[in-house]
Amino acid sequence: MNEATPYRVLVDCGSTTTKVVLVGDHDGRFGVLGRAEAATTVEAPHDDVTVGLRAALTSLAEETGAPLLTAPDREGDRHLDPHQAELLATSSAAGGLRMAVVGLVRAMTAASGERAALGAGALVSDVLAYSDPEPAARQIQRLRRGEPDAVLLCGGTDGGATEQVVVLAERIAKAELRSRHAAAEPVPVVYAGNAAALAAVTAALGAVPLAAPNVRAVLEHEDLGPARERIHDVFLHHVMSRAPGYPALQALCAAPVEPTPAAFAHALELLVEADAGEVLAVDIGGATTDVYSAGGAGVVRSVAANLGLSFSIGHVCHAAGWDRVERWLTVAMGEQDLRNLVRNKMVRPTTLPETEAELQVEQAVVREALRLALAQHVVVRSDLRGVRPDGPAALRLGRTTPAEGIDWRRVTMVVGSGGPLAHAPQRWQAAAMLVDGLRPRGITALTVDASFLLPHVGVLSRRHRDAARQVLFHDCLRPLGTVVAPLRSERVAVGAPLLRWELRPSDAGETRTGVLRRGELQRLPLYAGASAALHLEPAKGVDLGAGRGVPLQALVGGGPAGVLLDGREEDLERHGRGVPWQTLLQRWRAEMEPGPGEES
Amino acid sequence: MRRSATTPDDRTSADAAGLAHPSVLARPALLLRRSRRLPIAGEVLVSAGDRVEPGTVVARAAAGTLLPVNVARQLDVDASTAAAAVLVAPGAVVVRGQPLARLHGLAGWLGGQCRSPADGTVREVSPHTGQVLLEVASVALELMALLGGRVVEVAEGRGVDIVGRATLVQGIVGVGGEVVGELAAAVSRHDAVLTSELIGPELAGKVVLGGALVTGSALRRAAAVGVGALITGGVDDADLAELLGHELSVAVTGHEVIRPTLVVTGGFGRVPQDPRAFAMLNRRLGSPAGVRAATRVRAGAQRPEILVSEPDDGGCPADSIPAVGGDARAGRTADLRPGQRVRLIGATHLGRIGVVAGLPPGRHTFSGGGRHPAVEVQVPGGRTLIVPRANVELLDAPGDDGG
């Protein structure tokens, strides 16, 4: 590909839509010049993803006027002109890479395998362990039902357990898994377990697995990188290359096609570089909610399977409890109507909310999905089981402190992505969902990827880091505001002062002061693009991130949500014992909503 | 009524198209090709060219529970010693108590036996672990044709492709196994409520056409009577959960062992059926109907369907089959145009059927604050509703009303 092409075309092939973004010179900086989309065409009658891509590129060329395409060929088709544009692509089409993880002990090698698969951008269809009290037949049935594109087999430290690993290999063989992309082809197995057992595992599988260094060569040491690379190879060669038209797509691209979640993670790495803090990002999809923690040690990703807002919206409500979803509604709706509404969304996932009631239901489910997904993320981030607290080994993941929950002192930004957040009718609603669902503590900037650009930015960053950075900050992220909440405040009675605050806008606007009481929510207007110096004096026993009772100063950014001072309980379930819950809900909603004339 | 105990595993271009694009198909006398495949290797019972009926068993397999016997652990020896001690080979039929492995000790000392814990068939003997894999409690899986017609292709050990002509009505979600039975009606109107009093023992084994809603008591009555399958416009989620024994968390179905099988054509709540589809089925009462309830609402989508086969396909040769997918894929919202018949599928107007009256440009602000491309739909009574374009599905169903 010609490095000097004036344009970059960034493609994301989703399950239903292929989106293309044109980036190039935009008033002296690198920016988005136009966007288009077309239906993804991996299924009949087209069976070729490049058909949808060509349709999208044609729309893009028409919309922008950019000379992206060649003259029509003999069949009348026009193609991307490689002298004009470089193509970079991400894909989650055909459901991405579905992977079953099989390990020896659930909390050890199986958990490491799951982390490896998630980190590689896979959707983990199931996790099975030899240690599970479950008959072999049931495990074989689960493997089949999960319809994985690949299996990751882990287990046994190097030179350790062999027999049990071979038993697992035999179960995998017994499942007779066949590729959903090439019916007669067996599903590939990545083996990242006991190196000494490789020959026996190969014999048991009846096929040569793709071998990678053991994810737990010794119990105290987790090495996921090589397994992730192998999984990525599987994605490219056994899923992407089999999906109709993908070899042709890859031939058009200047770099290997990336799984969408991996590209998303690359974009977060740019944010971390610029911000020097940790970033927590959530991506709410139709079937899953992905949560990413990005910091100096890299990106940890978890996928809350079946916690999405369309295909698996029913599961969110079941897992959270219908009463928890109903609690977020200020409109009257009986449980039967709520259940029918949710189920209809599940079977017709592309429908949109029309009324206030329907919107509230959707946003209520978002809150619960975020809460549940974050709880799962914490588990994925947790300390490695099997590591002695006084053990001498370092944790190769780079974490040197246990991660019990999220260390909000280090998180400086929350990024929301996905339809319900990006397309909330009013931006402050997106902030409200993030704050209510994730319950951030300390001082945290809130942003949203309003245009689904993060995967595009991520894939662009692999070849043009500076250009990607410009697109990220100018076109991709939209500031929602800042939220401030104490990390600890248990010694303060409800209704008593939590902190005194002073907000001094950077544009020499009026300085405001006030007091936040425990249980209260306050919104300080500060528009997007503006910043202010925030001085906080916590009450004795209140920790805002610098220690109990220690004052804090920070430069905070504005947005439709302004600066939210959140004195509510971290677990909102604890409210409603005195003042009725509905009264509080109405009060919080009224407080968060911008006033007339304010940016919303 | 015949029940097929297998996991359905066939897809057609019409299926994939029916979900990837929001349209629902209801067609009389449609020439179809259906692939019927066993989930595991088995035996195909028919040949290419054979005429089959919907209830014909075209293939079968034996599925058993696999029981691993850890010989090494029972004999307290290592894996290689255990493997050498095994007495049986794959394919051997054993009975409970029969020795599977024996160690020869020294003058009777340090020997031992490992006995079979159950009756079954030896499926595998692992040379690596010394485990013996027994298949016990074998269950016969029978794959029915579901579509009456001719066998045009045989996939050895797996199944067949069948071509035949049938009335096809797609649903939106279904639960339960495959069923073949005589089509009968329990209500006379597409918007009627099916209550328990309308279900009698004469409906046992049949595929029963309901109306806009089937009540929980009607579902219980249908199960008690032995109804094979129920077709309904709507069902309340709580009643479906009671039928299933659990909540339907994601719309991936077809594995449920329940009675009756249920196909929902409209959605959750009280949702009148499409009067044209209802009339099509009414015209075929008394004919054998094949019901496949399996649903998959994701990539590789699949919708439930009812097939009421024509008695004779007229000997239509396989290579004259038109591409059914071309018609079924007419339902993309991008193809919306005035005069098209649509069903409203958003929560506010779910189930109402009308005609596209206009496609206003730009975006419309709805009462919830969202701004979306809109469509104007004229409904019976003359009223025009404005809804998001994403909240309609095309109804591909010819009718006598000129639509």
Side-chain angles (χ1 to χ4, degrees), chain A residues 426-449:
Chain A
Q426 299 180 71
R427 288 254 197 277
W428 70 266
Q429 294 169 340
M433 285 185 272
L434 290 172
V435 169
D436 290 345
L438 299 175
R439 307 301 296 126
R441 309 280 96 191
I443 303 175
T444 316
L446 303 170
T447 59
V448 69
D449 173 10

Side-chain angles (χ1 to χ4, degrees), chain A residues 39 43-45 137 147 170 203 311 315 318 322 336 339-340 343-344 346-348 350-352 354-355 358-359 425, chain B residues 66 126 128 236-237 247-249 266-268 296-297 300 303 329 332 345 348 350 367-369 388 390-391 393:
Chain A
E43 292 177 354
E147 297 183 337
E170 287 176 341
F311 305 111
H315 183 81
H318 178 61
W322 291 97
Q336 177 164 284
R339 290 178 65 147
N340 285 342
R343 238 36 108 176
N344 280 318
M346 183 183 79
V347 297
R348 290 189 172 95
T350 57
T351 53
L352 298 168
E354 294 176 46
T355 64
E358 292 162 39
L359 183 70
Chain B
L66 296 173
S126 171
H128 315 291
D236 281 327
D237 179 59
E247 292 201 20
L248 184 65
S249 290
F268 290 84
R296 187 191 310 239
V297 180
R303 290 291 192 194
R329 283 176 64 84
R332 300 179 60 155
I345 56 174
T348 310
L350 179 64
S367 63
N391 289 7
E393 67 187 10

Side-chain angles (χ1 to χ4, degrees), chain B residues 377-395:
Chain B
V377 179
Q378 191 166 59
V379 294
R383 198 170 149 214
T384 298
L385 302 174
I386 300 178
V387 299
R389 293 187 192 181
N391 289 7
V392 301
E393 67 187 10
L394 292 185
L395 293 176

Side-chain angles (χ1 to χ4, degrees), chain A residues 294-312:
Chain A
V299 181
V300 175
R301 169 181 173 243
S302 66
V303 176
N306 293 335
L307 288 182
L309 262 291
S310 56
F311 305 111
S312 50

Side-chain angles (χ1 to χ4, degrees), chain A residues 506-518:
Chain A
S506 302
D507 62 359
E510 183 190 346
T511 296
R512 288 163 285 163
T513 61
V515 172
L516 177 72
R517 298 178 184 278
R518 185 165 179 180

Side-chain angles (χ1 to χ4, degrees), chain B residues 155-175:
Chain B
E156 195 60 48
R158 284 287 183 173
V160 298
D161 280 15
I162 300 165
V163 166
R165 204 173 285 278
T167 294
L168 165 65
V169 173
Q170 287 183 328
I172 202 72
V173 64
V175 292

Side-chain angles (χ1 to χ4, degrees), chain B residues 27-251:
Chain B
R27 291 280 192 86
L30 193 64
L31 190 64
L32 295 167
R33 178 174 180 136
R34 283 289 182 275
S35 289
R36 302 292 290 142
R37 296 288 185 272
L38 290 165
I40 57 174
E43 181 190 1
V44 176
L45 305 175
V46 295
S47 304
D50 284 356
R51 164 84 201 176
V52 296
E53 301 304 321
T56 303
V57 177
V58 297
R60 69 176 172 219
T65 301
L66 296 173
L67 183 65
V69 181
N70 195 330
V71 173
R73 191 175 298 164
Q74 289 202 26
L75 295 178
D76 196 22
V77 295
D78 59 47
S80 57
T81 304
V86 171
L87 302 171
V88 293
V93 176
V94 299
V95 297
R96 186 188 173 100
Q98 177 175 339
L100 297 177
R102 182 178 292 128
L103 275 183
H104 294 282
L106 199 61
W109 283 63
L110 301 178
Q113 287 190 21
C114 170
R115 296 181 182 274
S116 178
D119 296 346
T121 305
V122 176
R123 279 285 165 242
E124 204 170 283
V125 178
S126 171
H128 315 291
T129 64
Q131 284 209 8
V132 173
L133 203 60
L134 285 184
E135 185 170 15
V136 301
S138 187
V139 171
L141 302 179
E142 292 189 332
L143 183 70
M144 292 188 290
L146 286 192
L147 172 67
R150 289 205 185 277
V151 176
V152 296
E153 185 179 320
V154 173
E156 195 60 48
R158 284 287 183 173
V160 298
D161 280 15
I162 300 165
V163 166
R165 204 173 285 278
T167 294
L168 165 65
V169 173
Q170 287 183 328
I172 202 72
V173 64
V175 292
E178 295 178 344
V179 167
V180 172
E182 181 188 315
L183 185 63
V187 299
S188 57
R189 288 182 53 84
H190 69 284
D191 56 0
V193 176
L194 178 54
T195 55
S196 58
E197 312 82 64
L198 299 173
I199 298 178
E202 73 283 1
L203 296 178
K206 295 189 180 175
V207 175
V208 176
L209 180 60
L213 177 75
V214 57
T215 64
S217 59
L219 287 172
R220 287 190 290 276
R221 174 82 176 135
V225 157
V227 168
L230 268 173
I231 305 162
T232 180
V235 66
D236 281 327
D237 179 59
D239 292 332
L240 179 66
E242 187 186 328
L243 174 68
L244 290 172
H246 57 83
E247 292 201 20
L248 184 65
S249 290
V250 289

